Amino acid sequence: MSKAILTIDDGPTTLTPSMIDYLKSKNIMPILFFYGHQLESHFEEGLYALQQGAIIGNHSYSHPNFNDLSYEECISEIEKQEALLDRLFQTAGIERTYKLFRFPYGAKGGKNKALIQQYLHEHGYNRVDDSQIDVKWYIDNEFNTDIDSLWTFDFMEYQLNNSTDFTFDSILHRIHDPNPETGAPLLEREINHIVLIHDHENTDKILPNYFEILIDYVIEEGVEFVPPRISVMKQ
Ligand SMILES: [Zn+2]
């Protein structure tokens, strides 16, 4: 059975509270990477997730592709969202003991990559503990040393909303793919994953309850969701 940390990107939305309730019923602790536009418009839903014990990370303010931004624009995107997250924790009355960051689209800033990593390091960002992850693609790309958090399996279920060629069967195909182009096979035995799924209202309009359906499905197929650990930076 594979073990997976569950990460959920792009919230909060009106769906977030029901996702959180469902995960609590399954005893699954997620990491939610919120971005600013969503958090401003769905602050109460974000607050609920935090108060129910979810780990909350920074996914930028406006969800741009960082490869297309100047260094200063990248930092502004991170810091604007950081201020909103501070407000979220303050409102919840919960002390912030960690700072996590995930790039939108996993785009690490192109020519500014090293500078942004240095910024994250100097500003006390933490890593999701990925020391158990032994995926060749992940290690070959040095994602295991970057401070930001990537993933090793993406459901890509948001494509239901982008393309009529992409169907529920396409997601099942990805789940069962023994040889994916990126990441690692989800259902391979004894493999550790960071799994990515999204908090998108548009996907839920096309496939209602997609979140619960997909998580139920992979649990049935033998994926065990494990609680994330946050590690301090290796110096
Ligand atoms: Zn995103």
Side-chain angles (χ1 to χ4, degrees), residues 172-181 183-188:
L172 296 186
H173 180 78
R174 288 186 60 76
I175 290 170
H176 289 276
D177 189 348
N179 195 14
E181 258 175 58
L186 181 61
L187 302 179
E188 197 163 284

Side-chain angles (χ1 to χ4, degrees), residues 9-10 35 59 63 104-105 198:
D9 283 10
D10 301 349
Y35 74 93
H59 194 42
H63 205 276
Y105 316 104
H198 303 78

Side-chain angles (χ1 to χ4, degrees), residues 7-17 19-20 32-35 38 45 157-158 196-204 210-211:
T7 66
I8 307 170
D9 283 10
D10 301 349
T13 69
T14 55
L15 303 176
T16 310
M19 288 179 175
I20 293 294
L32 280 67
F33 286 97
F34 288 162
Y35 74 93
Q38 290 301 122
E45 289 91 338
E157 82 295 340
Y158 58 88
L196 166 59
I197 193 166
H198 303 78
D199 182 350
H200 285 184
E201 288 167 355
N202 285 337
T203 306
D204 202 63
Y210 75 91
F211 181 82

Side-chain angles (χ1 to χ4, degrees), residues 59-60 63-69 74 78 101-113 116-117 143 146 148-151:
H59 194 42
S60 83
H63 205 276
N65 185 324
F66 275 51
N67 294 358
D68 299 334
L69 303 185
C74 292
I78 295 170
F101 182 71
R102 173 173 277 169
F103 289 98
Y105 316 104
K108 293 182 181 240
K111 63 183 188 313
N112 294 312
K113 185 194 165 191
I116 298 169
Q117 291 294 327
F143 300 143
D146 288 343
D148 64 286
S149 305
L150 208 80
W151 54 82

